[in-house]
Amino acid sequence: MAVPEPHLVAYLRSTVWGPAEFVGLPPRRLTARAVLTGGAAVYAVVGCAVAGSWYGISWLADGEAGLLCVALLILHLCVRRAGRALVGVAAVLGMCLVFQAPQAAVSLVLAERGRVESVVVTSVEGGSHAVSGHGRYLCSVADEDGVPLNVRIWRGCGQATRPGDAIAVVYDVKGRVPPRGVEASSSLLDPLRELGGWAAAFAVVSVVAVVRSHRLAVPASGPKLGSGS
């Protein structure tokens, strides 16, 4: 069996994981640039979702702007010729962060300016035999004036819930995010804690990808002045 040549192995390693052409710890300027890049990417994705939910801008709140931010980071890594494996992992983690950010942003808005009120259950659907397969119970509810809400509530809606029961719902006083049920065993900030894990993983991989993309400048080759023939 033929053994790959050392330079071929080095080329493949640098292509997959990045060349990281420095000795010892990475230069401080490179580390600072990498941290700035990773932090800016996370801030952009999460910031767009929060701003969209806070001000009621749908294309920001729904994650479309977040996808654009992740795409720009991946393009930046590709231009720097970062390791392909790290670019792929960064893309996957970035997509996960984009999908998690809208729910976390809604939770943040409701935690800051939400108001808890009691609503009446008008019907209950779902459960273990639901078509969706999620096993959740969905409650249609109406406010104290009998006006039905245009969303169904699953938090606080369970197997024992019956039409006519009262459950707690938290509203956005400005009506820019949909109401959400309140559960005694959970907090509105739980999605933010989950988002923190995805954000940290995305930032770390982005930083490593930028650091390992470092290449030493190759001096230009050419005839020296004053050299004889």
Side-chain angles (χ1 to χ4, degrees), residues 157-202:
C157 180
Q159 185 177 7
T161 307
R162 296 290 182 269
D165 291 349
I167 61 175
V169 172
V170 58
Y171 292 85
D172 173 20
V173 295
K174 294 189 176 181
R176 291 172 180 169
V177 299
R180 177 176 293 182
V182 178
E183 291 179 310
S185 59
S186 64
S187 168
L188 286 172
L189 298 180
D190 286 344
L192 292 177
R193 299 187 185 98
E194 298 175 2
L195 184 70
W198 290 109
F202 179 51

Side-chain angles (χ1 to χ4, degrees), residues 37-49 59-60 63-77 90-91 94-95 97-98 202 206:
T37 300
V42 170
Y43 181 82
V45 172
V46 177
C48 286
W59 64 275
L60 287 176
E64 297 175 11
L67 287 175
L68 178 60
C69 295
V70 173
L72 290 176
L73 173 69
I74 299 306
L75 177 61
H76 174 72
L77 294 178
M95 294 290 289
L97 181 64
V98 169
F202 179 51
S206 301

Side-chain angles (χ1 to χ4, degrees), residues 9-30:
V9 174
Y11 171 76
L12 292 175
R13 185 183 298 113
S14 67
T15 301
V16 173
W17 299 109
E21 294 179 348
F22 49 82
V23 179
L25 296 176
R28 293 182 180 179
R29 182 176 298 180
L30 173 63

Side-chain angles (χ1 to χ4, degrees), residues 103-120 141-143 149-157 166-184 186-191:
Q103 287 298 321
V106 170
S107 297
L108 178 62
V109 172
L110 292 176
E112 288 294 324
R113 65 180 188 211
R115 182 178 62 187
V116 179
E117 293 185 1
S118 179
V119 294
V120 178
V141 298
D143 62 16
L149 273 66
N150 57 1
V151 295
R152 292 188 295 179
I153 305 299
W154 65 267
R155 294 178 179 85
C157 180
I167 61 175
V169 172
V170 58
Y171 292 85
D172 173 20
V173 295
K174 294 189 176 181
R176 291 172 180 169
V177 299
R180 177 176 293 182
V182 178
E183 291 179 310
S186 64
S187 168
L188 286 172
L189 298 180
D190 286 344

